[in-house]
Amino acid sequence: SDHEKSRIRRAKAELAVGKEKVIAIQQQTTRNDDSAPSSASAYLIQAKCDLQEVLDNPECTQAGKMSVEKLVLHVDHLLQLAKTAMLKQNPKADWDLYEQTVQAACW
Protein backbone atom coordinates (compact mmCIF):
# COMPACT_ATOMS: atom_id res chain seq x y z
CA SER A 1 0.00 0.00 0.00
CA ASP A 2 1.02 3.61 -0.39
CA HIS A 3 1.06 4.18 3.36
CA GLU A 4 3.37 1.21 3.85
CA LYS A 5 5.72 2.42 1.14
CA SER A 6 5.84 5.96 2.51
CA ARG A 7 6.57 4.74 6.05
CA ILE A 8 9.38 2.49 4.80
CA ARG A 9 10.77 5.32 2.67
CA ARG A 10 10.69 7.72 5.63
CA ALA A 11 12.29 5.12 7.92
CA LYS A 12 15.09 4.62 5.39
CA ALA A 13 15.73 8.37 5.31
CA GLU A 14 15.76 8.54 9.12
CA LEU A 15 18.06 5.54 9.24
CA ALA A 16 20.47 7.21 6.81
CA VAL A 17 20.61 10.41 8.89
CA GLY A 18 20.95 8.46 12.13
CA LYS A 19 23.71 6.29 10.67
CA GLU A 20 25.61 9.35 9.46
CA LYS A 21 25.40 10.88 12.93
CA VAL A 22 26.50 7.64 14.64
CA ILE A 23 29.51 7.45 12.31
CA ALA A 24 30.37 11.09 13.09
CA ILE A 25 30.16 10.31 16.81
CA GLN A 26 32.40 7.28 16.45
CA GLN A 27 34.95 9.18 14.41
CA GLN A 28 34.62 12.24 16.64
CA THR A 29 35.07 14.44 13.59
CA THR A 30 32.75 17.12 14.92
CA ARG A 31 31.91 18.37 18.37
CA ASN A 32 28.65 20.22 17.77
CA ASP A 33 25.16 19.33 18.97
CA ASP A 34 24.27 17.75 15.62
CA SER A 35 26.61 14.85 16.33
CA ALA A 36 25.42 14.31 19.89
CA PRO A 37 24.31 10.73 20.61
CA SER A 38 20.83 12.00 21.46
CA SER A 39 20.48 13.54 18.00
CA ALA A 40 21.37 10.27 16.29
CA SER A 41 19.13 8.31 18.63
CA ALA A 42 16.10 10.48 17.94
CA TYR A 43 16.26 9.74 14.20
CA LEU A 44 16.76 6.04 14.84
CA ILE A 45 13.93 5.81 17.36
CA GLN A 46 11.58 7.54 14.90
CA ALA A 47 12.70 5.10 12.19
CA LYS A 48 11.97 2.16 14.49
CA CYS A 49 8.50 3.55 15.28
CA ASP A 50 7.75 3.89 11.57
CA LEU A 51 8.93 0.35 10.89
CA GLN A 52 6.94 -1.04 13.80
CA GLU A 53 3.83 0.69 12.49
CA VAL A 54 4.27 -1.11 9.16
CA LEU A 55 4.71 -4.47 10.91
CA ASP A 56 1.66 -3.86 13.12
CA ASN A 57 -0.54 -3.12 10.12
CA PRO A 58 -2.56 -6.27 9.29
CA GLU A 59 -2.49 -5.24 5.63
CA CYS A 60 1.32 -5.28 5.54
CA THR A 61 2.55 -7.08 2.42
CA GLN A 62 4.99 -9.96 2.63
CA ALA A 63 7.56 -7.95 0.67
CA GLY A 64 7.08 -4.99 3.01
CA LYS A 65 7.45 -7.22 6.05
CA MET A 66 10.70 -8.73 4.77
CA SER A 67 12.10 -5.30 3.96
CA VAL A 68 11.10 -3.91 7.35
CA GLU A 69 12.58 -6.84 9.29
CA LYS A 70 16.00 -6.23 7.66
CA LEU A 71 15.79 -2.52 8.41
CA VAL A 72 14.81 -3.14 12.04
CA LEU A 73 17.99 -5.18 12.55
CA HIS A 74 20.07 -2.32 11.17
CA VAL A 75 18.23 0.27 13.28
CA ASP A 76 18.64 -1.84 16.43
CA HIS A 77 22.38 -2.16 15.84
CA LEU A 78 22.80 1.59 15.33
CA LEU A 79 20.61 2.34 18.35
CA GLN A 80 22.88 0.17 20.47
CA LEU A 81 25.90 2.15 19.24
CA ALA A 82 24.14 5.45 19.97
CA LYS A 83 23.11 4.21 23.42
CA THR A 84 26.69 3.20 24.21
CA ALA A 85 27.94 6.61 23.06
CA MET A 86 25.31 8.43 25.11
CA LEU A 87 26.10 6.47 28.27
CA LYS A 88 29.81 6.97 27.71
CA GLN A 89 29.25 10.71 27.40
CA ASN A 90 26.92 10.79 30.41
CA PRO A 91 27.05 7.66 32.60
CA LYS A 92 24.12 8.90 34.69
CA ALA A 93 21.81 9.17 31.68
CA ASP A 94 18.60 7.16 31.85
CA TRP A 95 18.43 5.56 28.40
CA ASP A 96 15.04 3.93 28.92
CA LEU A 97 13.44 7.20 29.96
CA TYR A 98 15.06 9.01 27.03
CA GLU A 99 13.85 6.36 24.58
CA GLN A 100 10.29 6.47 25.97
CA THR A 101 10.26 10.27 25.78
CA VAL A 102 11.29 10.22 22.12
CA GLN A 103 8.82 7.43 21.31
CA ALA A 104 6.03 9.46 22.86
CA ALA A 105 6.75 12.21 20.34
CA CYS A 106 6.87 9.86 17.33
CA TRP A 107 4.20 10.36 14.70
Side-chain angles (χ1 to χ4, degrees):
S1 75
D2 289 339
H3 182 68
E4 177 180 309
K5 290 177 186 176
S6 68
R7 283 288 180 171
I8 292 171
R9 204 170 24 251
R10 186 169 88 164
K12 285 180 180 179
E14 293 157 349
L15 173 61
V17 173
K19 180 179 180 179
E20 195 174 289
K21 289 180 179 294
V22 168
I23 290 169
I25 293 163
Q26 289 181 322
Q27 295 175 347
Q28 297 180 350
T29 56
T30 59
R31 294 264 181 200
N32 60 30
D33 289 341
D34 287 343
S35 63
S38 59
S39 175
S41 302
Y43 283 98
L44 297 169
I45 292 167
Q46 178 69 52
K48 190 165 182 175
C49 287
D50 286 336
L51 296 172
Q52 191 60 51
E53 184 176 308
V54 172
L55 288 176
D56 290 345
N57 184 346
E59 297 176 12
C60 179
T61 65
Q62 189 62 30
K65 185 175 181 179
M66 289 174 53
S67 175
V68 166
E69 287 171 348
K70 289 178 188 176
L71 290 170
V72 166
L73 291 175
H74 199 136
V75 169
D76 285 344
H77 173 70
L78 290 172
L79 266 174
Q80 186 59 45
L81 294 175
K83 175 183 177 180
T84 301
M86 178 183 271
L87 294 175
K88 184 177 179 182
Q89 187 179 65
N90 181 4
K92 294 181 181 181
D94 185 339
W95 174 262
D96 294 332
L97 178 62
Y98 172 75
E99 189 173 28
Q100 289 174 357
T101 302
V102 174
Q103 284 175 348
C106 288
W107 52 278

